[in-house]
Amino acid sequence: MPETPTPPASLITRIRARLGPKEFPSDDRGRIRMVVDSLVLHLHPSKVPVTTLKWTYTWGLGGLSAVLLTMLIFTGIILLNNYTPAVPQAYLDILELRSNVWFGELIRNIHHWSANLLIVVAVLHLIRVFATGAYRHPRELNWLIGIAMLLLIIGANFTGYLLPWDQLAFWAITVGTSIVSYVPLIGESLTRLILGGPEVGARTLLNFYSLHIAILPLGIFTLMMYHFWRVRKDGGLTLPKSITPTPEEEKPERVTTLPHLVRKELVFAVAWIAAVLIFSMLVPAPLEGIANPDLSPNPAKAPWYFMGLQELLLHFHPLVGAIVIPGMAVFGLFLLPFVDVRLDNVGVYFRSGRGRSLSLLAVGLGIFLTPAWVLLDEFILDWVAWLPGWDPLLSNGLIPLALIALGLFLLDEWITRSLNANPEEQILFFVTFLFTAFIILTMIGIFFRGPGMALFWPWDMPVH
Ligand code: HEM
Ligand code: HEM
């Protein structure tokens, strides 16, 4: 007689057998709690140092990036229900979304504002990681992953920008993608590949759509999971440790993750979701008339996060402004953990009191020198750049770049000779200075460039 196969044991029976009768909860409430606990403990260790629970250490910026990303994925999937990546249907769909779809406008607003906020928050998180020196060993890889995520987030924002297919989208993407054409040798082909043709059109919309709804979010999400895992693998968050550690720094007090950390995370996440929701109810995402390739707005600006780059392009030969300087900046960020290798004062904001003063000085100089240089270039140096017979790559590219390098060298001489800055403080100073300069350039581009991209005071702009 054939043997009747024994049915496979249920999941609960198998877990019960593994854990033994004592640990396995007997009621539903206890079992739910067990599942939630083990989910949480996949993300966090069971105990965390009290120091890392202070808001003023991480400001919750990594967690907030994750919250925003989750909101983007949820609202993005809802938006898909009412969106066709075709010309002119894309624009008509957005109009319909705003007027005929229940909560359509709100969902779009949430998607729009979370996306823009995500760039700001991810950059602030990068600044906090930089300021606490948390990119140093053993967290080099997580720093690199973070930069890769930031680039993908900017990519997701950029591709999303085109999808409403309005004037704003069309011209910002036209200006933004023109930057790619300055890549030496392959620039033209690369632009054609991205645009799917010689200019922004229906194929570009389709290309951007597939990048936007599948490839980029998948890449960001996968990297984020790995990023979280690495935080644990690298021994949790950095802990403040001075050169002569106190007993408390040597053996920090720890508390259980549940409820101490999780409760804080939940309150923080709910508060931010509420804030984004309220903001999205009050402030609609911009939408202009349907894209018109024959009617260029004046000024035609790239999306706000590329305005620093567009500003550089106004001062330098495109090869230098669009490729050499940004390339060096990203490469420098990648290199940071490998040039700054001393492990003292990891986890201490700006390393020490001296470090704080030097960073403050760097911010002050950045705020003062960047507009000064923009004005100098705009009104005095510009005519040198276009002297007849000069190769613009030399006069408007390499010579100003060499002048800036000379300025940085003199600044370095000053902080090392007069202020006795050591190599780590020099790195702190220059990264802070250059970062501030980039933010100021971005602000000049956003607020102080008017028709013809000429400098202007925002309050002089005619209201239309
Ligand atoms: C989607 C974007 C990102 C998410 C969701 C994310 C998430 C997180 C979270 C939750 C933490 C733990 C604690 C904290 O909040 O600081 C963390 C730590 C860290 N993140 Fe990110 N991050 C993102 C982007 C970045 C970027 C742009 C960088 C830098 C280039 C970066 C580098 C790091 C490093 C080095 C740590 C370890 C910090 C330490 O041990 O103190 N992350 N990240
Ligand atoms: C990192 C993640 C993401 C970012 C930064 C992002 C960013 C953006 C931005 C800035 C827009 C333009 C919004 C506007 O002004 O109208 C947009 C539109 C859109 N996104 Fe995303 N998005 C992300 C993820 C997703 C995902 C995962 C989906 C779908 C699965 C999605 C679907 C859409 C759709 C259908 C639109 C067009 C509708 C509209 O413009 O409102 N997005 N996205």
Side-chain angles (χ1 to χ4, degrees):
M1 211 171 112
E3 255 182 53
T4 25
T6 31
S10 74
L11 184 63
I12 290 195
T13 323
R14 274 182 283 157
I15 298 175
R16 197 196 297 271
R18 251 228 221 137
L19 290 177
K22 259 203 197 134
E23 289 95 336
F24 195 79
S26 54
D27 58 341
D28 277 352
R29 209 185 139 102
R31 281 195 281 267
I32 290 172
R33 180 146 189 181
M34 190 183 84
V35 172
V36 173
D37 285 6
S38 29
L39 261 178
V40 168
L41 294 177
H42 268 81
L43 277 175
H44 296 303
S46 56
K47 284 188 165 187
V48 285
V50 181
T51 3
T52 56
L53 288 184
K54 281 192 199 142
W55 284 129
T56 46
Y57 187 60
T58 64
W59 303 97
L61 293 164
L64 181 53
S65 307
V67 170
L68 291 172
L69 206 63
T70 314
M71 285 170 80
L72 279 163
I73 292 175
F74 273 112
T75 47
I77 291 172
I78 301 175
L79 285 172
L80 278 185
N81 285 316
N82 201 76
Y83 183 82
T84 322
V87 177
Q89 194 55 40
Y91 182 73
L92 302 178
D93 280 351
I94 302 286
L95 288 184
E96 163 145 329
L97 191 77
R98 296 210 312 176
S99 51
N100 282 347
V101 178
W102 263 28
F103 295 111
E105 163 123 61
L106 180 64
I107 299 287
R108 173 170 181 252
N109 293 351
I110 297 174
H111 196 76
H112 177 92
W113 293 121
S114 326
N116 285 280
L117 188 60
L118 179 59
I119 296 189
V120 177
V121 172
V123 169
L124 288 176
H125 174 58
L126 180 148
I127 294 176
R128 147 9 227 159
V129 170
F130 168 73
T132 51
Y135 51 84
R136 283 177 269 169
H137 187 73
R139 297 179 178 78
E140 303 96 324
L141 181 56
N142 228 8
W143 170 258
L144 300 187
I145 292 166
I147 296 173
M149 278 198 288
L150 183 60
L151 295 177
L152 292 182
I153 287 171
I154 293 175
N157 262 286
F158 188 62
T159 47
Y161 210 110
L162 184 65
L163 302 188
W165 200 252
D166 63 341
Q167 273 289 74
L168 203 66
F170 183 90
W171 288 102
I173 300 305
T174 302
V175 174
T177 44
S178 69
I179 296 176
V180 180
S181 63
Y182 300 123
V183 176
L185 305 176
I186 53 164
E188 289 300 324
S189 327
L190 201 61
T191 317
R192 276 188 93 95
L193 184 76
I194 294 172
L195 298 186
E199 59 206 26
V200 178
R203 278 168 194 269
T204 322
L205 187 62
L206 211 53
N207 276 359
F208 276 34
Y209 177 73
S210 45
L211 282 170
H212 185 81
I213 64 149
I215 298 165
L216 292 169
L218 208 68
I220 299 170
F221 195 74
T222 314
L223 284 181
M224 186 176 80
M225 287 297 132
Y226 187 57
H227 191 64
F228 285 169
W229 182 73
R230 280 239 61 98
V231 171
R232 289 200 60 179
K233 187 90 179 132
D234 296 338
L237 292 190
T238 39
L239 291 174
K241 206 167 189 180
S242 32
I243 301 176
T244 43
T246 58
E248 167 58 17
E249 284 176 350
E250 284 290 7
K251 214 170 179 313
E253 187 197 341
R254 287 173 190 267
V255 288
T256 48
T257 298
L258 275 158
H260 296 94
L261 172 62
V262 175
R263 193 169 49 200
K264 278 195 164 202
E265 284 180 335
L266 278 179
V267 171
F268 184 75
V270 171
W272 269 102
I273 293 172
V276 173
L277 208 74
I278 294 172
F279 190 81
S280 306
M281 283 176 187
L282 300 175
V283 190
L287 186 73
E288 293 190 357
I290 190 164
N292 180 355
D294 298 324
L295 184 71
S296 157
N298 188 8
K301 290 190 179 183
W304 66 266
Y305 36 86
F306 284 153
M307 282 315 296
L309 270 186
Q310 204 180 346
E311 184 62 33
L312 278 177
L313 270 171
L314 293 174
H315 300 284
F316 288 102
H317 183 277
L319 187 62
V320 174
I323 310 297
V324 176
I325 297 179
M328 284 192 331
V330 175
F331 186 61
L333 276 182
F334 270 114
L335 228 56
L336 201 58
F338 309 101
V339 289
D340 180 13
V341 285
R342 272 184 52 184
L343 290 180
D344 51 343
N345 284 344
V346 166
V348 178
Y349 265 95
F350 302 103
R351 289 169 192 261
S352 60
R354 262 179 65 80
R356 267 189 287 280
S357 310
L358 273 172
S359 309
L360 212 61
L361 179 68
V363 171
L365 283 175
I367 293 177
F368 173 71
L369 291 179
T370 317
W373 173 75
V374 167
L375 290 174
L376 186 78
D377 191 58
E378 189 89 4
F379 297 115
I380 300 175
L381 294 183
D382 222 26
W383 61 264
V384 181
W386 305 110
L387 278 181
W390 282 51
D391 180 351
L393 179 58
L394 198 68
S395 64
N396 200 30
L398 300 178
I399 292 177
L401 195 62
L403 280 178
I404 288 181
L406 179 70
L408 292 178
F409 173 75
L410 293 176
L411 206 56
D412 188 43
E413 284 291 295
W414 176 59
I415 62 161
T416 41
R417 283 172 199 268
S418 307
L419 306 178
N420 295 326
N422 62 30
E424 287 76 33
E425 288 169 345
Q426 282 168 279
I427 294 174
L428 185 67
F429 179 88
F430 279 106
V431 175
T432 312
F433 175 73
L434 294 174
F435 205 84
T436 310
F438 187 70
I439 291 177
I440 298 290
L441 283 180
T442 304
M443 288 171 68
I444 293 177
I446 297 174
F447 299 113
F448 296 97
R449 290 279 172 193
M453 290 306 277
L455 281 175
F456 84 126
W457 294 110
W459 42 91
D460 289 346
M461 183 80 167
V463 180
H464 54 266

